[in-house]
Amino acid sequence: MVRRRKHWGWGYEDQQPDHAALEASAATICERLGLPAREPREPVGLEQLALPLPRIEPPRQLAAFSSAGSYERAAHALGKSYVDVVRGFSGDFAHPPDFVCFPRAEFELEQAIEWCSSQRVAAIPFGGGTSVVGGVTPELPSGYNGAVSIDMGAFDRVLEVDPVSRSALIGAGATGPSLEAQLASHGLTLRHYPQSFEFSTLGGWIATRAGGHFATLWTHIEDMLESVRALTPAGAWESRRLPGSGAGVSPDRMLAGSEGVLGVITRAWMRVQPRPRQRSSVGVRFADFAHGAQCVRAISQSGLHPSNLRLLDAGEAALTGAGDGSHALLALAFEGVDHPVSEAMGRAREICREHGGVAGERDGASDSGGDAGQGAGAGGVGSWRSAFLGAPYLRDVLVAIGVMAETFETAITWERFDALHERVIAAAHAALGPEAAHARVQCRFTHVYPDGPAPYFTVIAPARRGSEIEQWLTVKAAVSDAIVAAGGTITHHHAVGRDHRPWYDQQRPELFAAALGALKATTDPAGVMNPGVLIDPLA
Ligand SMILES: Cc1cc2nc3c(=O)[nH]c(=O)nc-3n(C[C@H](O)[C@H](O)[C@H](O)COP(=O)(O)OP(=O)(O)OC[C@H]3O[C@@H](n4cnc5c(N)ncnc54)[C@H](O)[C@@H]3O)c2cc1C
């Protein structure tokens, strides 16, 4: 039997805990979060869903690779944000696609795009469906006759490896585990590990400019992008394979972050690397987040480039089992292929000491291969990493037991970070209202640059059962307002989608929006590619 992913949450259908297991988890989780006891609820089953009737049917030329089945429509109706999981859990599928296309080759994809353009039907590229910004939800502006989700799952092969240049041509639908397994047989890795690694795809990463697990240097997918191919309604867009080029505005960069509004990415040549052989990691305690942040700034400006430089505040460290709530924790790690990392680690530890940091007793050093990004941890780093990887599964349980868990990510220059941090935490607490008494608003750095960090806030609070969406909207708006008012970006790596549009529109230059609209009008003259995301089609 084919193992199916849940139509509403993370993981596979057979991974959903039963009621007894949920009850047991509810007690433990509520105690750990300091929340009043919550009674777990059951998700609305597929057979109980009343999906809106399809407005259109697959035409003859698409029928062989399309489905209008309830499972496919529901499973492509939402992404995987907190509010998506709440909606899916409670059977609220207001905007499913009318049908889903599963093209197996470029000519089938071309047929699907052509048909959507000719019928004024929205075409929504779908990779792993892990968007947390409403990027794959067919919630359309008026004037469309229907919506088709285009699932790129069949484009999942590593098609070619160039060991001389160390690049690989990879299909856009390949998920993290699939492309890494294929590259591993060549002794190579893409070394891109977003938290959604298990289900998200190369095409989705490029379309959203995803950020990987590593804190510095090559961690954004576009850093590894050598050339890219997409099919647009106006034809193919393929850039030349080059290690670098000063020939005008970059065609790769114009597709990176295009969020499906220009066309569908089908494959890309990616820069790959041998698997790291040298690793060293350590957890360093700081009295508080502010002292840790000063140290992180010093390391990020030292030219050392650790692979991990994640600072967790005391609450975040405690919640992930990496601390006891009395101190902030810095997860510090170095990785290398060619030369030892001990010297760099030694200097980074010195900088930590200079800033009052206390390193854990055991240094997780290793010179063996293994799974990059998942290496041994020390001083609480291992606990944090397990919690990081298990978090998407835990969130489904939190929704079942009535706990809101939402995240906000941004980036800001160092000189404005303290003010932004204060403002966001205050805004979240104020927006939570009565639930603030039991809430946790925590912060960690996911990525760090010499000129500023990418802070990532987690808000955990008792959900207002029955009005979870209104509660979420209030908190989302308040925190997003605070981020943009403090000078941050509305997104550092989660993308714009539909959910971030109001704040993205404030942040981007007006003239740039007009230029992007003109580009869209060229590649997508009928305005059918993912309408509502990123920019509006020209009127
Ligand atoms: C638990 C969790 C953890 C996450 N962690 C991270 C993280 O660490 N870093 C990070 O950057 N993001 C993270 N995300 C967000 C999400 O995983 C990323 O945005 C990811 O890049 C989406 O990939 P996907 O294949 O699932 O794309 P989808 O969700 O299917 O699509 C995302 C957007 O890209 C478009 N798209 C997808 N495929 C294509 C294609 N082939 N051509 C053109 N457009 C396309 C879609 O139309 C949509 O607008 C996380 C999400 C969750 C739920």
mmCIF file of all heavy atoms in Angstrom, residues 10 80-81 124-132 135-136 152 172 193-196 199-201 203-205 207-212 259-260 263-266 388 392 395 493-494 530 533, ligand 1:
data_model
loop_
_atom_site.group_PDB
_atom_site.id
_atom_site.type_symbol
_atom_site.label_atom_id
_atom_site.label_comp_id
_atom_site.label_asym_id
_atom_site.label_seq_id
_atom_site.Cartn_x
_atom_site.Cartn_y
_atom_site.Cartn_z
ATOM 1 N N TRP A 10 1.527 17.384 9.396
ATOM 2 C CA TRP A 10 2.882 16.969 9.059
ATOM 3 C C TRP A 10 2.975 15.445 9.078
ATOM 4 O O TRP A 10 2.313 14.794 9.880
ATOM 5 C CB TRP A 10 3.860 17.554 10.089
ATOM 6 C CG TRP A 10 5.275 17.580 9.592
ATOM 7 C CD1 TRP A 10 6.284 16.738 9.959
ATOM 8 C CD2 TRP A 10 5.830 18.484 8.638
ATOM 9 N NE1 TRP A 10 7.433 17.060 9.281
ATOM 10 C CE2 TRP A 10 7.179 18.133 8.468
ATOM 11 C CE3 TRP A 10 5.320 19.552 7.907
ATOM 12 C CZ2 TRP A 10 8.034 18.815 7.600
ATOM 13 C CZ3 TRP A 10 6.168 20.228 7.039
ATOM 14 C CH2 TRP A 10 7.516 19.858 6.899
ATOM 15 N N LYS A 80 1.529 24.440 5.399
ATOM 16 C CA LYS A 80 1.742 23.810 6.702
ATOM 17 C C LYS A 80 2.056 24.834 7.800
ATOM 18 O O LYS A 80 2.810 24.558 8.721
ATOM 19 C CB LYS A 80 2.898 22.799 6.599
ATOM 20 C CG LYS A 80 2.582 21.602 5.706
ATOM 21 C CD LYS A 80 1.605 20.640 6.380
ATOM 22 C CE LYS A 80 1.237 19.461 5.496
ATOM 23 N NZ LYS A 80 0.210 19.773 4.493
ATOM 24 N N SER A 81 1.451 26.018 7.688
ATOM 25 C CA SER A 81 1.627 26.979 8.775
ATOM 26 C C SER A 81 0.738 26.557 9.943
ATOM 27 O O SER A 81 -0.115 25.670 9.788
ATOM 28 C CB SER A 81 1.215 28.379 8.310
ATOM 29 O OG SER A 81 -0.185 28.406 8.084
ATOM 30 N N ILE A 124 -1.148 26.720 -9.861
ATOM 31 C CA ILE A 124 -0.408 26.914 -8.612
ATOM 32 C C ILE A 124 0.671 25.847 -8.461
ATOM 33 O O ILE A 124 0.366 24.683 -8.174
ATOM 34 C CB ILE A 124 -1.396 26.891 -7.427
ATOM 35 C CG1 ILE A 124 -2.426 27.980 -7.707
ATOM 36 C CG2 ILE A 124 -0.667 27.078 -6.098
ATOM 37 C CD1 ILE A 124 -3.417 28.232 -6.657
ATOM 38 N N PRO A 125 1.949 26.222 -8.672
ATOM 39 C CA PRO A 125 3.008 25.235 -8.523
ATOM 40 C C PRO A 125 3.053 24.711 -7.085
ATOM 41 O O PRO A 125 2.930 25.489 -6.124
ATOM 42 C CB PRO A 125 4.285 26.021 -8.849
ATOM 43 C CG PRO A 125 3.830 27.233 -9.601
ATOM 44 C CD PRO A 125 2.469 27.544 -9.075
ATOM 45 N N PHE A 126 3.214 23.402 -6.958
ATOM 46 C CA PHE A 126 3.199 22.756 -5.644
ATOM 47 C C PHE A 126 4.412 21.835 -5.560
ATOM 48 O O PHE A 126 4.586 20.938 -6.376
ATOM 49 C CB PHE A 126 1.902 21.946 -5.508
ATOM 50 C CG PHE A 126 1.645 21.375 -4.134
ATOM 51 C CD1 PHE A 126 0.760 22.000 -3.261
ATOM 52 C CD2 PHE A 126 2.257 20.194 -3.717
ATOM 53 C CE1 PHE A 126 0.488 21.471 -1.995
ATOM 54 C CE2 PHE A 126 1.997 19.666 -2.455
ATOM 55 C CZ PHE A 126 1.108 20.302 -1.599
ATOM 56 N N GLY A 127 5.294 22.112 -4.572
ATOM 57 C CA GLY A 127 6.474 21.256 -4.368
ATOM 58 C C GLY A 127 6.153 20.244 -3.282
ATOM 59 O O GLY A 127 5.517 19.220 -3.512
ATOM 60 N N GLY A 128 6.554 20.584 -2.040
ATOM 61 C CA GLY A 128 6.218 19.715 -0.905
ATOM 62 C C GLY A 128 5.006 20.220 -0.149
ATOM 63 O O GLY A 128 4.573 19.598 0.825
ATOM 64 N N GLY A 129 4.501 21.397 -0.527
ATOM 65 C CA GLY A 129 3.344 21.960 0.177
ATOM 66 C C GLY A 129 3.656 22.357 1.611
ATOM 67 O O GLY A 129 2.768 22.413 2.462
ATOM 68 N N THR A 130 4.928 22.690 1.912
ATOM 69 C CA THR A 130 5.295 23.056 3.291
ATOM 70 C C THR A 130 5.295 24.578 3.498
ATOM 71 O O THR A 130 5.790 25.059 4.518
ATOM 72 C CB THR A 130 6.687 22.507 3.665
ATOM 73 O OG1 THR A 130 7.674 23.157 2.860
ATOM 74 C CG2 THR A 130 6.765 21.000 3.459
ATOM 75 N N SER A 131 4.749 25.299 2.540
ATOM 76 C CA SER A 131 4.679 26.762 2.674
ATOM 77 C C SER A 131 4.027 27.148 4.007
ATOM 78 O O SER A 131 3.053 26.530 4.427
ATOM 79 C CB SER A 131 3.834 27.327 1.529
ATOM 80 O OG SER A 131 3.555 28.693 1.774
ATOM 81 N N VAL A 132 4.579 28.165 4.649
ATOM 82 C CA VAL A 132 3.959 28.647 5.897
ATOM 83 C C VAL A 132 3.399 30.055 5.696
ATOM 84 O O VAL A 132 3.131 30.771 6.662
ATOM 85 C CB VAL A 132 4.956 28.630 7.082
ATOM 86 C CG1 VAL A 132 5.133 27.217 7.610
ATOM 87 C CG2 VAL A 132 6.294 29.223 6.702
ATOM 88 N N GLY A 135 1.400 30.109 0.428
ATOM 89 C CA GLY A 135 1.934 30.126 -0.939
ATOM 90 C C GLY A 135 1.255 29.158 -1.890
ATOM 91 O O GLY A 135 1.287 29.363 -3.101
ATOM 92 N N VAL A 136 0.667 28.080 -1.365
ATOM 93 C CA VAL A 136 0.070 27.078 -2.269
ATOM 94 C C VAL A 136 -1.453 27.017 -2.142
ATOM 95 O O VAL A 136 -2.090 26.163 -2.745
ATOM 96 C CB VAL A 136 0.657 25.657 -2.004
ATOM 97 C CG1 VAL A 136 2.119 25.596 -2.410
ATOM 98 C CG2 VAL A 136 0.477 25.221 -0.556
ATOM 99 N N MET A 152 4.773 18.842 -8.498
ATOM 100 C CA MET A 152 6.016 18.550 -9.225
ATOM 101 C C MET A 152 6.718 17.288 -8.726
ATOM 102 O O MET A 152 7.894 17.048 -9.043
ATOM 103 C CB MET A 152 6.949 19.766 -9.111
ATOM 104 C CG MET A 152 6.439 20.987 -9.843
ATOM 105 S SD MET A 152 6.306 20.688 -11.614
ATOM 106 C CE MET A 152 8.043 20.660 -12.067
ATOM 107 N N ALA A 172 13.230 19.567 -9.956
ATOM 108 C CA ALA A 172 12.668 20.511 -8.981
ATOM 109 C C ALA A 172 11.806 19.841 -7.922
ATOM 110 O O ALA A 172 11.612 20.377 -6.837
ATOM 111 C CB ALA A 172 11.827 21.556 -9.718
ATOM 112 N N TYR A 193 19.724 22.181 4.613
ATOM 113 C CA TYR A 193 18.861 21.510 5.586
ATOM 114 C C TYR A 193 17.885 22.473 6.252
ATOM 115 O O TYR A 193 18.076 22.854 7.404
ATOM 116 C CB TYR A 193 19.702 20.838 6.674
ATOM 117 C CG TYR A 193 20.631 19.773 6.145
ATOM 118 C CD1 TYR A 193 21.974 20.058 5.904
ATOM 119 C CD2 TYR A 193 20.163 18.495 5.873
ATOM 120 C CE1 TYR A 193 22.821 19.086 5.402
ATOM 121 C CE2 TYR A 193 21.011 17.519 5.373
ATOM 122 C CZ TYR A 193 22.332 17.824 5.142
ATOM 123 O OH TYR A 193 23.175 16.871 4.639
ATOM 124 N N PRO A 194 16.820 22.872 5.549
ATOM 125 C CA PRO A 194 15.777 23.622 6.258
ATOM 126 C C PRO A 194 15.065 22.672 7.232
ATOM 127 O O PRO A 194 15.162 21.444 7.079
ATOM 128 C CB PRO A 194 14.834 24.064 5.135
ATOM 129 C CG PRO A 194 15.058 23.092 4.032
ATOM 130 C CD PRO A 194 16.472 22.602 4.158
ATOM 131 N N GLN A 195 14.348 23.219 8.183
ATOM 132 C CA GLN A 195 13.674 22.366 9.170
ATOM 133 C C GLN A 195 12.607 21.493 8.484
ATOM 134 O O GLN A 195 12.266 20.425 8.963
ATOM 135 C CB GLN A 195 13.034 23.231 10.254
ATOM 136 C CG GLN A 195 12.606 22.437 11.471
ATOM 137 C CD GLN A 195 11.942 23.308 12.508
ATOM 138 O OE1 GLN A 195 11.369 24.346 12.184
ATOM 139 N NE2 GLN A 195 12.008 22.904 13.757
ATOM 140 N N SER A 196 12.106 21.957 7.345
ATOM 141 C CA SER A 196 11.097 21.225 6.585
ATOM 142 C C SER A 196 11.717 20.235 5.595
ATOM 143 O O SER A 196 11.029 19.722 4.716
ATOM 144 C CB SER A 196 10.254 22.229 5.804
ATOM 145 O OG SER A 196 11.108 23.042 5.002
ATOM 146 N N PHE A 199 10.085 17.011 3.679
ATOM 147 C CA PHE A 199 9.055 17.032 2.642
ATOM 148 C C PHE A 199 9.213 18.160 1.627
ATOM 149 O O PHE A 199 8.573 18.139 0.578
ATOM 150 C CB PHE A 199 7.655 17.127 3.283
ATOM 151 C CG PHE A 199 7.313 15.919 4.109
ATOM 152 C CD1 PHE A 199 7.214 15.995 5.485
ATOM 153 C CD2 PHE A 199 7.121 14.684 3.497
ATOM 154 C CE1 PHE A 199 6.918 14.869 6.248
ATOM 155 C CE2 PHE A 199 6.816 13.550 4.242
ATOM 156 C CZ PHE A 199 6.719 13.641 5.623
ATOM 157 N N SER A 200 9.989 19.181 1.927
ATOM 158 C CA SER A 200 10.087 20.299 0.983
ATOM 159 C C SER A 200 11.019 19.908 -0.172
ATOM 160 O O SER A 200 11.796 18.965 -0.077
ATOM 161 C CB SER A 200 10.540 21.579 1.688
ATOM 162 O OG SER A 200 11.744 21.368 2.391
ATOM 163 N N THR A 201 10.914 20.650 -1.280
ATOM 164 C CA THR A 201 11.589 20.249 -2.523
ATOM 165 C C THR A 201 12.553 21.326 -3.032
ATOM 166 O O THR A 201 12.426 22.509 -2.672
ATOM 167 C CB THR A 201 10.537 20.030 -3.628
ATOM 168 O OG1 THR A 201 9.882 21.293 -3.892
ATOM 169 C CG2 THR A 201 9.500 19.001 -3.238
ATOM 170 N N GLY A 203 12.584 22.729 -5.954
ATOM 171 C CA GLY A 203 11.853 23.797 -6.650
ATOM 172 C C GLY A 203 11.222 24.768 -5.661
ATOM 173 O O GLY A 203 11.255 25.994 -5.855
ATOM 174 N N GLY A 204 10.661 24.227 -4.578
ATOM 175 C CA GLY A 204 10.073 25.074 -3.541
ATOM 176 C C GLY A 204 11.140 25.922 -2.858
ATOM 177 O O GLY A 204 10.939 27.107 -2.578
ATOM 178 N N TRP A 205 12.297 25.313 -2.613
ATOM 179 C CA TRP A 205 13.385 26.068 -1.964
ATOM 180 C C TRP A 205 13.807 27.252 -2.834
ATOM 181 O O TRP A 205 13.993 28.368 -2.347
ATOM 182 C CB TRP A 205 14.611 25.163 -1.728
ATOM 183 C CG TRP A 205 14.396 24.013 -0.798
ATOM 184 C CD1 TRP A 205 13.378 23.868 0.111
ATOM 185 C CD2 TRP A 205 15.201 22.830 -0.682
ATOM 186 N NE1 TRP A 205 13.518 22.675 0.777
ATOM 187 C CE2 TRP A 205 14.617 22.026 0.316
ATOM 188 C CE3 TRP A 205 16.355 22.371 -1.325
ATOM 189 C CZ2 TRP A 205 15.161 20.783 0.682
ATOM 190 C CZ3 TRP A 205 16.891 21.144 -0.956
ATOM 191 C CH2 TRP A 205 16.300 20.358 0.038
ATOM 192 N N ALA A 207 12.086 28.665 -5.279
ATOM 193 C CA ALA A 207 10.985 29.620 -5.457
ATOM 194 C C ALA A 207 10.770 30.495 -4.220
ATOM 195 O O ALA A 207 10.213 31.592 -4.336
ATOM 196 C CB ALA A 207 9.698 28.869 -5.788
ATOM 197 N N THR A 208 11.224 30.018 -3.056
ATOM 198 C CA THR A 208 11.019 30.812 -1.826
ATOM 199 C C THR A 208 12.327 31.349 -1.244
ATOM 200 O O THR A 208 12.314 31.927 -0.159
ATOM 201 C CB THR A 208 10.347 29.965 -0.728
ATOM 202 O OG1 THR A 208 11.204 28.848 -0.447
ATOM 203 C CG2 THR A 208 8.969 29.471 -1.157
ATOM 204 N N ARG A 209 13.441 31.094 -1.908
ATOM 205 C CA ARG A 209 14.761 31.484 -1.378
ATOM 206 C C ARG A 209 14.937 30.950 0.045
ATOM 207 O O ARG A 209 15.213 31.696 1.000
ATOM 208 C CB ARG A 209 14.942 33.007 -1.397
ATOM 209 C CG ARG A 209 15.012 33.548 -2.810
ATOM 210 C CD ARG A 209 15.021 35.049 -2.831
ATOM 211 N NE ARG A 209 16.265 35.590 -2.308
ATOM 212 C CZ ARG A 209 16.420 36.878 -1.975
ATOM 213 N NH1 ARG A 209 15.416 37.720 -2.140
ATOM 214 N NH2 ARG A 209 17.551 37.304 -1.509
ATOM 215 N N ALA A 210 14.781 29.638 0.150
ATOM 216 C CA ALA A 210 14.811 29.010 1.476
ATOM 217 C C ALA A 210 16.165 29.175 2.160
ATOM 218 O O ALA A 210 17.204 29.295 1.507
ATOM 219 C CB ALA A 210 14.473 27.528 1.328
ATOM 220 N N GLY A 211 16.127 29.157 3.473
ATOM 221 C CA GLY A 211 17.341 29.228 4.284
ATOM 222 C C GLY A 211 17.570 27.883 4.959
ATOM 223 O O GLY A 211 16.647 27.301 5.514
ATOM 224 N N GLY A 212 18.796 27.383 4.878
ATOM 225 C CA GLY A 212 19.098 26.078 5.472
ATOM 226 C C GLY A 212 19.453 26.197 6.943
ATOM 227 O O GLY A 212 19.351 27.264 7.549
ATOM 228 N N GLU A 259 8.301 32.579 -6.266
ATOM 229 C CA GLU A 259 7.117 32.021 -5.587
ATOM 230 C C GLU A 259 6.025 31.540 -6.554
ATOM 231 O O GLU A 259 4.830 31.632 -6.274
ATOM 232 C CB GLU A 259 6.558 33.022 -4.560
ATOM 233 C CG GLU A 259 7.595 33.403 -3.502
ATOM 234 C CD GLU A 259 7.030 34.131 -2.309
ATOM 235 O OE1 GLU A 259 5.839 33.970 -2.000
ATOM 236 O OE2 GLU A 259 7.804 34.871 -1.665
ATOM 237 N N GLY A 260 6.436 31.057 -7.704
ATOM 238 C CA GLY A 260 5.478 30.468 -8.645
ATOM 239 C C GLY A 260 4.699 31.484 -9.456
ATOM 240 O O GLY A 260 3.802 31.101 -10.200
ATOM 241 N N GLY A 263 6.498 31.295 -13.416
ATOM 242 C CA GLY A 263 6.471 30.029 -14.135
ATOM 243 C C GLY A 263 6.791 28.903 -13.168
ATOM 244 O O GLY A 263 6.866 29.122 -11.957
ATOM 245 N N VAL A 264 7.010 27.715 -13.713
ATOM 246 C CA VAL A 264 7.284 26.542 -12.875
ATOM 247 C C VAL A 264 8.732 26.112 -13.082
ATOM 248 O O VAL A 264 9.137 25.808 -14.219
ATOM 249 C CB VAL A 264 6.335 25.371 -13.227
ATOM 250 C CG1 VAL A 264 6.557 24.209 -12.257
ATOM 251 C CG2 VAL A 264 4.876 25.813 -13.200
ATOM 252 N N ILE A 265 9.496 26.092 -12.020
ATOM 253 C CA ILE A 265 10.891 25.647 -12.087
ATOM 254 C C ILE A 265 10.874 24.129 -12.282
ATOM 255 O O ILE A 265 10.157 23.414 -11.559
ATOM 256 C CB ILE A 265 11.638 26.028 -10.788
ATOM 257 C CG1 ILE A 265 11.680 27.557 -10.647
ATOM 258 C CG2 ILE A 265 13.034 25.423 -10.747
ATOM 259 C CD1 ILE A 265 11.941 28.056 -9.246
ATOM 260 N N THR A 266 11.624 23.644 -13.270
ATOM 261 C CA THR A 266 11.602 22.194 -13.523
ATOM 262 C C THR A 266 12.891 21.519 -13.067
ATOM 263 O O THR A 266 12.892 20.357 -12.705
ATOM 264 C CB THR A 266 11.381 21.888 -15.009
ATOM 265 O OG1 THR A 266 12.407 22.534 -15.770
ATOM 266 C CG2 THR A 266 10.008 22.391 -15.464
ATOM 267 N N PHE A 388 14.551 20.362 17.332
ATOM 268 C CA PHE A 388 14.419 21.105 16.066
ATOM 269 C C PHE A 388 13.819 20.193 14.989
ATOM 270 O O PHE A 388 12.876 20.550 14.291
ATOM 271 C CB PHE A 388 15.824 21.576 15.666
ATOM 272 C CG PHE A 388 15.923 22.293 14.346
ATOM 273 C CD1 PHE A 388 15.516 23.606 14.227
ATOM 274 C CD2 PHE A 388 16.454 21.667 13.221
ATOM 275 C CE1 PHE A 388 15.628 24.284 13.017
ATOM 276 C CE2 PHE A 388 16.581 22.328 12.015
ATOM 277 C CZ PHE A 388 16.156 23.642 11.917
ATOM 278 N N PRO A 392 8.092 19.883 13.780
ATOM 279 C CA PRO A 392 6.902 19.871 12.914
ATOM 280 C C PRO A 392 5.879 18.815 13.336
ATOM 281 O O PRO A 392 4.676 19.034 13.207
ATOM 282 C CB PRO A 392 7.483 19.542 11.534
ATOM 283 C CG PRO A 392 8.923 19.891 11.595
ATOM 284 C CD PRO A 392 9.334 19.704 13.016
ATOM 285 N N ARG A 395 3.996 20.014 16.459
ATOM 286 C CA ARG A 395 3.002 21.067 16.242
ATOM 287 C C ARG A 395 1.613 20.496 15.967
ATOM 288 O O ARG A 395 0.614 21.034 16.419
ATOM 289 C CB ARG A 395 3.443 21.977 15.110
ATOM 290 C CG ARG A 395 2.803 23.343 15.288
ATOM 291 C CD ARG A 395 2.984 24.194 14.137
ATOM 292 N NE ARG A 395 2.906 23.405 12.930
ATOM 293 C CZ ARG A 395 3.189 23.879 11.739
ATOM 294 N NH1 ARG A 395 3.589 25.111 11.631
ATOM 295 N NH2 ARG A 395 3.102 23.137 10.662
ATOM 296 N N HIS A 493 13.310 34.077 5.510
ATOM 297 C CA HIS A 493 13.395 32.886 4.653
ATOM 298 C C HIS A 493 12.067 32.167 4.445
ATOM 299 O O HIS A 493 12.024 31.191 3.708
ATOM 300 C CB HIS A 493 14.466 31.911 5.179
ATOM 301 C CG HIS A 493 14.261 31.484 6.608
ATOM 302 N ND1 HIS A 493 14.834 32.128 7.667
ATOM 303 C CD2 HIS A 493 13.527 30.495 7.147
ATOM 304 C CE1 HIS A 493 14.470 31.537 8.796
ATOM 305 N NE2 HIS A 493 13.667 30.538 8.507
ATOM 306 N N HIS A 494 10.994 32.601 5.058
ATOM 307 C CA HIS A 494 9.716 31.900 4.863
ATOM 308 C C HIS A 494 8.960 32.364 3.617
ATOM 309 O O HIS A 494 7.967 31.757 3.254
ATOM 310 C CB HIS A 494 8.805 32.088 6.090
ATOM 311 C CG HIS A 494 9.173 31.172 7.224
ATOM 312 N ND1 HIS A 494 8.606 31.277 8.473
ATOM 313 C CD2 HIS A 494 10.038 30.129 7.307
ATOM 314 C CE1 HIS A 494 9.113 30.347 9.249
ATOM 315 N NE2 HIS A 494 9.987 29.643 8.572
ATOM 316 N N ASN A 530 -0.088 31.504 -10.046
ATOM 317 C CA ASN A 530 -0.205 31.732 -8.594
ATOM 318 C C ASN A 530 -0.718 33.129 -8.221
ATOM 319 O O ASN A 530 -0.082 33.852 -7.435
ATOM 320 C CB ASN A 530 1.145 31.459 -7.906
ATOM 321 C CG ASN A 530 0.941 30.800 -6.544
ATOM 322 O OD1 ASN A 530 -0.193 30.622 -6.081
ATOM 323 N ND2 ASN A 530 2.033 30.459 -5.882
ATOM 324 N N VAL A 533 -0.220 35.814 -4.861
ATOM 325 C CA VAL A 533 1.075 35.667 -4.198
ATOM 326 C C VAL A 533 2.015 36.762 -4.691
ATOM 327 O O VAL A 533 1.996 37.091 -5.886
ATOM 328 C CB VAL A 533 1.655 34.260 -4.500
ATOM 329 C CG1 VAL A 533 3.131 34.189 -4.231
ATOM 330 C CG2 VAL A 533 0.920 33.208 -3.680
HETATM 331 C C1 LIG B 1 7.824 22.907 10.053
HETATM 332 C C2 LIG B 1 8.366 23.794 9.002
HETATM 333 C C3 LIG B 1 9.693 24.194 9.047
HETATM 334 C C4 LIG B 1 10.201 25.044 8.063
HETATM 335 N N1 LIG B 1 11.524 25.361 8.104
HETATM 336 C C5 LIG B 1 12.046 26.163 7.148
HETATM 337 C C6 LIG B 1 13.436 26.480 7.153
HETATM 338 O O1 LIG B 1 14.205 26.020 7.994
HETATM 339 N N2 LIG B 1 13.892 27.302 6.180
HETATM 340 C C7 LIG B 1 13.069 27.802 5.208
HETATM 341 O O2 LIG B 1 13.544 28.532 4.346
HETATM 342 N N3 LIG B 1 11.758 27.515 5.191
HETATM 343 C C8 LIG B 1 11.225 26.702 6.109
HETATM 344 N N4 LIG B 1 9.893 26.383 6.081
HETATM 345 C C9 LIG B 1 9.043 26.928 5.004
HETATM 346 C C10 LIG B 1 8.985 26.022 3.744
HETATM 347 O O3 LIG B 1 9.385 24.710 4.057
HETATM 348 C C11 LIG B 1 9.865 26.601 2.666
HETATM 349 O O4 LIG B 1 9.269 27.777 2.166
HETATM 350 C C12 LIG B 1 10.163 25.643 1.491
HETATM 351 O O5 LIG B 1 11.132 26.233 0.662
HETATM 352 C C13 LIG B 1 8.932 25.301 0.676
HETATM 353 O O6 LIG B 1 9.264 24.211 -0.166
HETATM 354 P P1 LIG B 1 8.122 23.287 -0.771
HETATM 355 O O7 LIG B 1 8.758 22.362 -1.748
HETATM 356 O O8 LIG B 1 7.343 22.649 0.308
HETATM 357 O O9 LIG B 1 7.271 24.361 -1.551
HETATM 358 P P2 LIG B 1 5.700 24.597 -1.528
HETATM 359 O O10 LIG B 1 5.227 24.820 -0.155
HETATM 360 O O11 LIG B 1 5.040 23.546 -2.312
HETATM 361 O O12 LIG B 1 5.632 25.975 -2.345
HETATM 362 C C14 LIG B 1 6.150 27.164 -1.794
HETATM 363 C C15 LIG B 1 6.044 28.272 -2.847
HETATM 364 O O13 LIG B 1 6.899 27.975 -3.940
HETATM 365 C C16 LIG B 1 6.147 27.772 -5.141
HETATM 366 N N5 LIG B 1 6.741 26.609 -5.809
HETATM 367 C C17 LIG B 1 6.910 25.352 -5.325
HETATM 368 N N6 LIG B 1 7.525 24.595 -6.227
HETATM 369 C C18 LIG B 1 7.759 25.365 -7.315
HETATM 370 C C19 LIG B 1 8.356 25.153 -8.585
HETATM 371 N N7 LIG B 1 8.859 23.976 -8.939
HETATM 372 N N8 LIG B 1 8.412 26.194 -9.463
HETATM 373 C C20 LIG B 1 7.897 27.414 -9.137
HETATM 374 N N9 LIG B 1 7.317 27.678 -7.944
HETATM 375 C C21 LIG B 1 7.261 26.660 -7.053
HETATM 376 C C22 LIG B 1 4.717 27.551 -4.694
HETATM 377 O O14 LIG B 1 3.788 27.944 -5.673
HETATM 378 C C23 LIG B 1 4.649 28.402 -3.432
HETATM 379 O O15 LIG B 1 4.433 29.751 -3.757
HETATM 380 C C24 LIG B 1 9.352 25.522 7.042
HETATM 381 C C25 LIG B 1 8.010 25.109 6.991
HETATM 382 C C26 LIG B 1 7.526 24.249 7.959
HETATM 383 C C27 LIG B 1 6.105 23.793 7.883
#
